[in-house]
Amino acid sequence: MAGKCILSGQRCKIAGLLALFILLALLFHYLELGRLIYYILLFCAVVWLALELKFDSSGKNIRNAFLVGLFLMVFDFAVENTGGFIGLWTTHQSILPIYFVPLEIIFICTLGGMAWALHLPKKFSPSYSLFDILLFSFFGALGEALLIKNSLMIYTGGWTSTHAFFGYFTTWVILHIIRYKILKV
């Protein structure tokens, strides 16, 4: 059928995310978009969440998914501001920066975190979780490099993309624990 993924369920969803991440990376690398990047990412988070809500039409997991998104937002807010205050990075061109965190990123973390919690398989799979953690760690670090390229972020104080990768890795390990062991979305 037209419009159907040739892969099954979860593989189709992860292939779609991978394709989206690659497309965004190419777009942000080849075009100087400035603050428009924030709005593109926010739009993608909204669309992703809408799609995940469509896949989970029961709606019974929305509350726990919101808690995952809220945790990601609070955690990111704390980490970004801590890093900013100790001189590891700065951010630029937000419509409203809250200390070192662009308001746009607060919304992206909340909505994207909700979508992410809904996108995972219901049953824990170590291999899937490892792939997911590596995927988000790689594209998180690459995303920061592209924010730097587009003058939205600057690393200082010795912070590098390698540090960012391991920071994202740690974040997503924590999120998997919360998603599967605590909230069981």
Side-chain angles (χ1 to χ4, degrees):
M1 290 188 129
K4 281 200 126 181
C5 186
I6 60 173
L7 302 172
S8 64
Q10 205 62 37
R11 287 186 178 144
C12 181
K13 289 166 74 173
I14 201 74
L17 272 180
L18 182 58
L20 174 64
F21 291 168
I22 291 169
L23 177 67
L24 290 173
L26 291 170
L27 180 71
F28 299 162
H29 177 74
Y30 288 109
L31 299 176
E32 291 289 327
L33 298 170
R35 103 164 37 165
L36 186 58
I37 288 174
Y38 291 139
Y39 304 112
I40 293 169
L41 293 174
L42 184 55
F43 175 78
C44 289
V46 168
V47 170
W48 183 23
L49 179 58
L51 289 171
E52 291 300 334
L53 289 171
K54 182 179 179 181
F55 290 131
D56 184 14
S57 58
S58 69
K60 61 184 173 185
N61 296 319
I62 294 172
R63 180 186 168 278
N64 285 347
F66 175 72
L67 292 175
V68 170
L70 187 63
F71 173 83
L72 178 59
M73 183 270 294
V74 170
F75 187 77
D76 177 77
F77 186 82
V79 169
E80 277 198 64
N81 278 316
T82 300
F85 284 122
I86 64 174
L88 297 178
W89 52 71
T90 60
T91 58
H92 304 284
Q93 299 187 40
S94 172
I95 193 169
L96 178 64
I98 302 175
Y99 299 110
F100 292 91
V101 184
L103 179 64
E104 300 88 343
I105 297 297
I106 290 171
F107 289 120
I108 292 165
C109 285
T110 305
L111 299 174
M114 286 179 69
W116 173 83
L118 293 169
H119 118 92
L120 291 176
K122 300 299 177 213
K123 186 175 182 214
F124 175 72
S125 163
S127 59
Y128 188 90
S129 286
L130 179 60
F131 179 79
D132 185 76
I133 289 165
L134 291 171
L135 177 75
F136 278 88
S137 300
F138 174 79
F139 281 100
L142 177 60
E144 286 192 8
L146 293 168
L147 291 176
I148 291 167
K149 181 183 181 306
N150 282 272
S151 303
L152 298 175
M153 185 175 201
I154 297 172
Y155 284 164
T156 57
W159 191 260
T160 68
S161 291
T162 302
H163 294 104
F165 174 85
F166 286 109
Y168 281 102
F169 188 91
T170 302
T171 300
W172 253 260
V173 166
I174 293 167
L175 284 172
H176 274 264
I177 291 168
I178 289 170
R179 162 62 174 75
Y180 284 111
K181 300 290 184 192
I182 298 172
L183 293 177
K184 301 175 184 171
V185 176

